[in-house]
Amino acid sequence: MEIKVDVVQDSLGQMCPMPIAYLAKNMRTMEAGQVLEIQSDDDGAHADIPAWCKQTNNEFLGEEKSGDFYKYYIKKSS
Amino acid sequence: MANKDNNRATIVLFSGDFDKVFAAFTIAIGTAAAGMDTTMFVTFWGLKAIQKGNLTGKGIMGRMIGLMNRGGLDVIGPSKFNFGGIGRWMFKKMMVDKKIVMLPEMRDTLIDLGVHFLACKTSMDVMEIRREDLIDEVEDIVGAATMVESAANSSLQYFI
């Protein structure tokens, strides 16, 4: 997946609800159109990150397996 | 999609048990992270979750409550299997091993995300808990009407 990433969030080892808490905090510092990459090994993130995007009207660009964790890509809408 | 006019969440935290406070904090992180203006109305046993942890009480009975029902996130035990503190130790150990965050860090996150902590005046009077026994981040000491206004204008309401 070729995505230009602006901010990387290392959430490896974190469990619900902390990846979402840091996601919200990171998005506050970003500008519209910028992309956040979240690295997570929490199985709940598969459902949680897209759900957060839906609830907050941000764009979920997809996920990608990277070794023993996943990378999730989110584009800030506004 | 959330209704922007109604994008608030109100959580009444009545319980002071470790597990229930954990649930309430998790829900509040979820709502606040989703951009909802989140209010936590803290009453009765729940006050333990926003106490600094010092001994409280003025009269003999108040001081007895303060001693036997001591507040502070580090001392509260689970609602089941506490066994005089062994359960608390066991749960904490299991959570640390699984790298789950602890209550003080969760509360810091809530404050960071802008969650409003309101304390119930009547409960404080009954338990002889003073404003200075509560953490500084508590925004106000209020009554039922404030909670009703907040809950009525929220799309999510929880009682824990």
Side-chain angles (χ1 to χ4, degrees):
Chain A
M1 211 184 299
E2 281 305 313
I3 294 173
K4 189 188 159 289
V5 174
D6 297 288
V7 181
V8 176
Q9 174 184 327
D10 177 4
S11 282
L12 298 175
Q14 288 176 359
M15 288 183 125
C16 171
M18 297 321 282
I20 295 296
Y22 288 110
L23 161 57
K25 281 203 255 185
N26 278 325
M27 291 293 266
R28 286 180 186 180
T29 67
M30 292 166 59
E31 287 167 25
Q34 287 191 315
V35 174
L36 174 70
E37 174 188 309
I38 303 175
Q39 302 176 350
S40 173
D41 50 4
D42 174 24
D43 288 341
H46 290 290
D48 270 18
I49 293 173
W52 183 90
C53 291
K54 205 173 165 190
Q55 179 67 19
T56 56
N57 295 320
N58 287 289
E59 193 182 344
F60 181 63
L61 300 176
E63 62 179 53
E64 189 179 32
K65 196 163 170 46
S66 171
D68 51 0
F69 64 92
Y70 277 84
K71 293 175 174 176
Y72 300 86
Y73 300 97
I74 298 146
K75 188 175 182 180
K76 182 162 176 166
S77 297
S78 56
Chain B
M1 184 188 141
N3 175 1
K4 290 294 171 207
D5 300 327
N6 205 14
N7 202 15
R8 287 171 68 178
T10 299
I11 299 164
V12 177
L13 178 60
F14 175 85
S15 312
D17 303 311
F18 169 85
D19 43 357
K20 294 178 187 182
V21 172
F22 189 80
F25 281 5
T26 304
I27 290 169
I29 287 179
T31 58
M36 303 181 84
D37 187 13
T38 304
T39 298
M40 196 167 258
F41 181 80
V42 187
T43 181
F44 226 80
W45 308 116
L47 290 171
K48 294 203 271 184
I50 54 166
Q51 276 179 246
K52 285 175 183 159
N54 53 290
L55 285 171
T56 57
K58 210 166 50 191
I60 288 176
M61 299 228 274
R63 271 186 285 195
M64 210 159 74
I65 289 176
L67 192 65
M68 295 173 67
N69 186 50
R70 193 157 181 172
L73 289 179
D74 293 323
V75 298
I76 56 176
S79 60
K80 288 183 196 297
F81 310 123
N82 193 21
F83 305 127
I86 297 168
R88 179 177 67 228
W89 173 83
M90 206 181 73
F91 268 110
K92 276 192 183 166
K93 180 161 177 11
M94 286 170 74
M95 287 170 75
V96 167
D97 290 348
K98 294 179 180 69
K99 297 200 183 89
I100 295 172
V101 299
M102 287 293 147
L103 291 176
E105 192 187 336
M106 290 179 90
R107 191 174 64 192
D108 288 344
T109 304
L110 290 173
I111 291 162
D112 205 17
L113 289 171
V115 170
H116 313 288
F117 283 95
L118 303 177
C120 165
K121 174 75 168 68
T122 306
S123 304
M124 289 172 67
D125 285 351
V126 171
M127 315 264 251
E128 297 180 10
I129 294 168
R130 302 161 305 164
R131 174 66 186 87
E132 51 267 43
D133 298 328
L134 302 178
I135 58 169
D136 297 340
E137 289 84 357
V138 171
E139 276 180 26
D140 209 356
I141 312 294
V142 302
T146 307
M147 182 276 295
V148 169
E149 187 279 330
S150 177
N153 289 291
S154 295
S155 46
L156 284 174
Q157 301 93 3
Y158 294 95
F159 182 93
I160 299 166

